[in-house]
Amino acid sequence: QVQLEESGGGLVQAGGSLRLSCVASGDTICLSAMGWYRQEPEKERELVATITTGGTTDYADSVKGRFTISRDNAKNTLYLQMNSLKPEDTAVYYCNADCETQYVKYLEVWGQGTQVIVSS
């Protein structure tokens, strides 16, 4: 199977930056679109950004202009560069990946999450 492991979370002051990484291992040949999600306590998990295998990106309105999603397919690694961080960005950030066979999605994989805390 495919496993995802996030890293790079931590405590940062408002206005600062962090870069999250997500390394995929296992049967990575199935990987297609990947993305970052986040979840605050007592709130639903929300989409932050997505990226296709070819590099097409999409962002939530709340992070446009501040966050950049990217991937290195050769290294099976997904990144999220977070700049100009705000206290409201505080959340657990999760890496997500779709697995496809013959262009049909058959599996959705999640990492364990990494905590981001932005102090005011």
Side-chain angles (χ1 to χ4, degrees), residues 66-113:
R66 300 189 298 119
F67 291 9
T68 302
I69 189 172
S70 62
R71 65 193 292 172
D72 186 332
N73 292 330
K75 297 180 179 179
N76 292 316
T77 302
L78 179 72
Y79 303 97
L80 184 68
Q81 179 66 47
M82 304 185 294
N83 298 326
S84 301
L85 282 163
K86 304 175 180 179
E88 50 263 46
D89 295 318
T90 295
V92 177
Y93 284 71
Y94 295 90
C95 178
N96 168 261
D98 293 338
C99 279
E100 294 181 352
T101 298
Q102 304 293 339
Y103 304 102
V104 177
K105 177 183 174 180
Y106 71 91
L107 181 67
E108 191 171 271
V109 185
W110 295 89
Q112 82 287 351

Side-chain angles (χ1 to χ4, degrees), residues 9-104:
L11 175 65
V12 65
Q13 63 187 16
S17 299
L18 285 173
R19 189 177 78 155
L20 306 183
S21 298
C22 171
V23 179
S25 60
D27 190 19
T28 58
I29 194 171
C30 74
L31 294 175
S32 55
M34 300 185 73
W36 289 97
Y37 292 71
R38 66 187 182 186
Q39 187 170 25
E40 300 176 60
E42 308 301 321
K43 297 182 66 176
E44 295 182 355
R45 189 172 298 184
E46 66 175 356
L47 176 67
V48 176
T50 60
I51 185 168
T52 67
T53 303
T56 301
T57 60
D58 195 19
Y59 297 90
D61 289 341
S62 60
V63 306
K64 286 181 179 177
R66 300 189 298 119
F67 291 9
T68 302
I69 189 172
S70 62
R71 65 193 292 172
D72 186 332
N73 292 330
K75 297 180 179 179
N76 292 316
T77 302
L78 179 72
Y79 303 97
L80 184 68
Q81 179 66 47
M82 304 185 294
N83 298 326
S84 301
L85 282 163
K86 304 175 180 179
E88 50 263 46
D89 295 318
T90 295
V92 177
Y93 284 71
Y94 295 90
C95 178
N96 168 261
D98 293 338
C99 279
E100 294 181 352
T101 298
Q102 304 293 339
Y103 304 102
V104 177

